[in-house]
Amino acid sequence: MLFSRRFFPYFVTQCLGALNDNVYKNVLLLMVAYASVDQLPMSINLFVNIAAAVFILPFLLFSAHAGSLADVKDKAWLIRRIKLVELVLMLFAALAIFSQSYLAMLFLLFLMGTQSAYFGPVKYALLPQTLKPEELVRGNAWVEVSTFLAILCGTVGAGVLVSSDQGVGISAGLVVLFAAIGVFASWNIPDLPADIDAHKQPRKGNWQTLKWAFQQRDIWAAITGISWFWFLGASYLTQFPNFTRLFLFSDPSVVSVLLALFSVGIAAGSFISVRLSKGRVELGIVPLGLCGLTLFGIDFVLAIPAGVESLYQASSFVMSAEHYRLMFDLFMIGVSGGVYIVPLYSFIQSKAKASERAQVIAANNILNALFMITSAILAMLVLQVFAWEITELFILLAAGNILVLIFLCVKEEVFRRSAIQFLWRKF
């Protein structure tokens, strides 16, 4: 499946798109962090927060239209146009990086977010159309693996690039190169014509899209579960830098270690979900993932070493035996997340009508964005207003998994029935 023409060109296209987003975004943030005050149009903290907002805002503004468009157009045709737009944006981005025009880079970040918002629905909606039913779970696993490895490579790679002497020029060249290869790969995706019934669907706005998805109870429950995953992931990734400094007494290189453990764990968990489900859409493993997120999330906090002898760098941190339990817990949080998320994506793709599939993904993207914004608000409320520690926030997040487990397995019959059937087959 992986190297077949119906999947591999798409896989390369979406991999490079995710990598480009993360390289550009992190290069921008690092350039801002190391820029002198008089070079910036505003304070560093304000710029960073605005950058985070302008990248996610397009998902709220344009996802509904993107879903409607993806349902009525040939998906391969649409991907090719979206990738051409990305190439144009990256050419301008390269100029902005060279000239260190921060406002231009910020505006281009918004446009990249817009391009990603249009790519999101078609990226997931085409999988049931191009893959066999028994390949759907595996296809979603590969997508999740590539997404989180792109986050890892983009974050770490941006740090290496910006710290090098020729980093600015190399960064500008790479974003254009990745976009160009993505365009080439997209032209090898086989045609995927729209379902004829999709043209009869009325176009919906954001609120109408969410309201329509809410009326499909099983799908809405899965979308809510997916959004919780992004809430959790955004919370962890946002807090890692400060957590590393305050509680692990380590330099920024250790942040990359934590990010690597988390991302590789999700990649491993994605493939474990394929093995557990035996290639089927198996909602019964979702509670297993949530239990892992809860248990390892709590033990991650309990595993923080009590004392410190010196400031740790990545090598000394990894070699220190007192960190093994903490690193294992973080890896297993990622594994549990992978086990949890893959069946949920596979379920909404297989459950949705072919003529409405991209709109379901659009509703998912809108709710994901709202949950990620809420995660930032919760963190500010807990850490700033209530003056809690980051470790207490992590405990709160772990406890939140229990509430999601209750919501899915007690309130929603399809999840409860699937969990019981899965346990009965296994034990």
Side-chain angles (χ1 to χ4, degrees), residues 21 26 51 92 101 109 129 162 179 216 224 259 265 295 308 313-314 317 342 364 373 385 405 424:
D21 284 348
N26 285 290
F92 283 106
S101 175
L109 186 64
Q129 190 173 350
V162 172
Q216 304 177 72
T224 305
L259 179 61
L295 295 175
V308 61
Q313 296 179 331
F317 181 88
V342 169
N364 173 67
I373 292 170
V385 179
L405 180 63
W424 178 260

Side-chain angles (χ1 to χ4, degrees), residues 39-106:
Q39 288 181 292
L40 298 176
M42 62 194 77
S43 70
I44 292 177
N45 287 333
L46 180 59
F47 191 101
V48 169
N49 287 323
I50 290 177
V54 300
F55 187 76
I56 200 169
L57 181 61
F59 289 89
L60 294 176
L61 297 178
F62 305 120
S63 285
H65 180 254
S68 297
L69 189 65
D71 274 334
V72 300
K73 297 290 185 181
D74 182 299
K75 294 176 179 60
W77 177 91
L78 186 57
I79 287 176
R80 292 166 196 150
R81 270 63 187 176
I82 291 172
K83 297 305 289 186
L84 283 172
V85 170
E86 180 186 336
L87 179 58
V88 172
L89 291 178
M90 288 302 97
L91 288 170
F92 283 106
L95 294 175
I97 292 172
F98 266 122
S99 63
Q100 298 188 25
S101 175
Y102 293 101
L103 283 179
M105 292 170 72
L106 193 63

